[in-house]
Amino acid sequence: MRVRVKVFAMFRELLGTDVFTVELDDDSTVFDLIEWISKNMNEKFRDEVLDEKGRVKKYVKILVNGRNIEFLDGLKTRLKHDDVVTFFPPVAGGLMVY
Amino acid sequence: MSALAGLSEEELARYDRQIRIFGREGQQRLKNAAVMVAGVGGLGSPAALYLAAAGVGKIVLVDKERVELSNLNRQILHWTGDIGTPKVRSAAEKLRKLNPHVEVEEVFAEINESNIMDLVKRVDLVIDGMDNWETRYLINRVCVEVGRPFIHAGVYGMHGQMLVIIPGKGPCLQCVIPEPPPSAEVFPVLGTTPGILAMMQVTEAVKILTGYGQPAVGKMVIYDGTTMTFEEISVQKREDCPVCRKK
């Protein structure tokens, strides 16, 4: 299946693009997508999105079709063909280093 | 809060174009309102300027810093001759010239645990012009406690975010961003970024104060100047939020 990924702000700088398409196995999850991006685009991506325990960092927002995965199944949220996944790091005056 | 007074002929003429949007009643509500601008920097300068132009009756400026040369690319209420002057003074001088009908209070102090409750209780709404999360979380907590709308914005480079917090009606800042992003003392920023975010903050403030339109509750608006795109993220109250849970 194919999913479209949109990244913002520093994530875009990290990956060098703002919108891209990824081919994943059927039944892949948001976690699988993060792994794919880290493996194929920039290995730092995983560490920017997940903490040392493998949880989504609390200031990072991940959306599937505009819905926050915190209110879906988190990293286990299953993706479908044509889903749009957005990665957003909140920014703030004085407090963001990348 | 300002004493109740009607709108003079001069004020009716001054605000004519916006009275056509929300009526004399709306304008009167603005005149009766008091707004705190927490930090008179990149966000707070343009926010205070437009709040004054719109005729918000009382503006409370709070900032502990003095104007520096490197502020001037974005903190547009401070000009070259103001370097070394407290930001609240520099800003207040211009705001009074822009609109003598507005009362401007200067609080040359750091926002902290000991003064925040008093500051928030005296106003109807708070605009976030801070540059650090610790103070943002403090303001957020007190605003939720005493029931005052708090309009958050944050910027970095050519990116920014805005979130309207109306206690009891949606998530608070800590529901949405439970932990602060990593920190830096000095960061890149183009002046237009806080300008754009501040315009969104003031638009929301005017809507809330006049009762016109629908406040942007339940979503965070994301601005990306490098691609000139705006995105929305739906946000919800968090069950385990330490601020909202107490309420």
Side-chain angles (χ1 to χ4, degrees):
Chain A
M1 67 173 172
R2 188 182 63 225
V3 297
R4 207 150 65 94
V5 182
K6 292 163 81 175
V7 291
F8 278 86
M10 297 72 195
F11 290 155
R12 201 192 49 225
E13 286 161 29
L14 197 67
L15 302 178
T17 177
D18 57 347
V19 182
F20 52 96
T21 302
V22 174
E23 281 288 341
L24 294 172
D25 295 335
D26 286 353
D27 286 335
S28 291
T29 62
V30 171
F31 179 79
D32 296 329
L33 174 64
I34 294 167
E35 290 287 297
W36 189 96
I37 295 170
S38 305
K39 196 175 158 198
N40 294 284
M41 297 177 75
N42 190 328
E43 60 187 21
K44 287 184 190 158
F45 187 72
R46 188 184 195 283
D47 291 341
E48 295 295 352
V49 173
L50 306 179
D51 67 15
E52 66 283 357
K53 290 185 179 164
R55 299 169 304 196
V56 179
K57 288 185 178 175
K58 287 197 170 176
Y59 50 82
V60 170
K61 301 291 170 204
I62 305 173
L63 317 182
V64 175
N65 301 326
R67 295 187 66 200
N68 196 332
I69 64 162
E70 285 171 49
F71 308 113
L72 299 170
D73 272 335
L75 290 170
K76 292 180 188 155
T77 302
R78 283 204 188 286
L79 299 173
K80 303 183 307 296
H81 184 68
D82 277 345
D83 275 351
V84 178
V85 185
T86 311
F87 291 89
F88 163 70
V91 292
L95 282 167
M96 196 62 153
V97 197
Y98 273 88
Chain B
M1 321 254 167
S2 303
L4 291 182
L7 295 161
S8 67
E9 284 303 312
E10 200 272 346
E11 286 170 288
L12 290 173
R14 176 184 286 262
Y15 307 125
D16 174 74
R17 297 303 191 274
Q18 65 191 50
I19 286 173
R20 291 165 193 264
I21 300 173
F22 42 67
R24 286 192 190 196
E25 257 183 45
Q27 190 63 49
Q28 184 68 54
R29 289 194 192 112
L30 282 184
K31 185 180 168 81
N32 297 344
V35 171
M36 169 171 143
V37 177
V40 195
L43 290 163
S45 291
L49 190 61
Y50 276 78
L51 288 168
V56 168
K58 181 170 181 176
I59 300 173
V60 181
L61 304 174
V62 190
D63 202 303
K64 63 172 180 176
E65 289 176 350
R66 292 173 185 272
V67 179
E68 294 175 18
L69 187 57
S70 64
N71 300 151
L72 304 189
N73 82 317
R74 63 198 184 282
Q75 303 185 12
I76 41 95
L77 276 179
H78 314 307
W79 302 345
T80 308
D82 299 318
I83 291 166
T85 307
K87 289 183 182 177
V88 291
R89 166 56 49 90
S90 162
E93 280 171 1
K94 278 90 169 194
L95 298 179
R96 290 178 189 126
K97 279 187 197 162
L98 169 63
N99 192 346
H101 299 285
V102 173
E103 183 191 341
V104 183
E105 185 181 334
E106 302 166 32
V107 182
F108 183 38
E110 181 183 46
I111 293 172
N112 56 37
E113 285 279 357
S114 66
N115 61 11
I116 184 65
M117 183 59 85
D118 173 57
L119 286 167
V120 170
K121 276 187 174 168
R122 287 194 290 136
V123 297
D124 300 294
L125 182 147
V126 179
I127 299 272
D128 179 3
M130 299 314 303
D131 61 359
N132 71 85
W133 282 93
E134 193 187 355
T135 316
R136 281 194 171 107
Y137 285 151
L138 176 63
I139 299 170
N140 173 67
R141 174 164 60 75
V142 173
C143 281
V144 169
E145 233 172 278
V146 301
R148 298 291 192 276
F150 175 47
I151 306 183
H152 159 70
V155 296
Y156 181 99
M158 293 172 75
H159 313 292
Q161 70 212 12
M162 188 208 59
L163 177 73
V164 174
I165 296 129
I166 301 185
K169 282 197 178 166
C172 78
L173 183 60
Q174 237 172 314
C175 289
V176 178
I177 306 173
E179 284 174 10
S183 65
E185 280 284 311
V186 177
F187 61 99
V189 59
L190 180 69
T192 58
T193 309
I196 284 165
L197 272 294
M199 293 305 96
M200 293 200 266
Q201 288 178 293
V202 174
T203 303
E204 290 302 310
V206 168
K207 281 161 57 185
I208 292 166
L209 294 172
T210 59
Y212 185 85
Q214 296 169 336
V217 173
K219 64 181 175 188
M220 184 152 65
V221 181
I222 314 301
Y223 163 71
D224 182 344
T226 60
T227 50
M228 197 47 77
T229 47
F230 290 86
E231 295 273 328
E232 276 178 34
I233 293 182
S234 59
V235 291
Q236 296 176 22
K237 269 194 174 187
R238 185 185 292 270
E239 290 299 320
D240 60 353
C241 174
V243 174
C244 291
R245 204 177 41 196
K246 265 191 266 172
K247 186 67 189 168

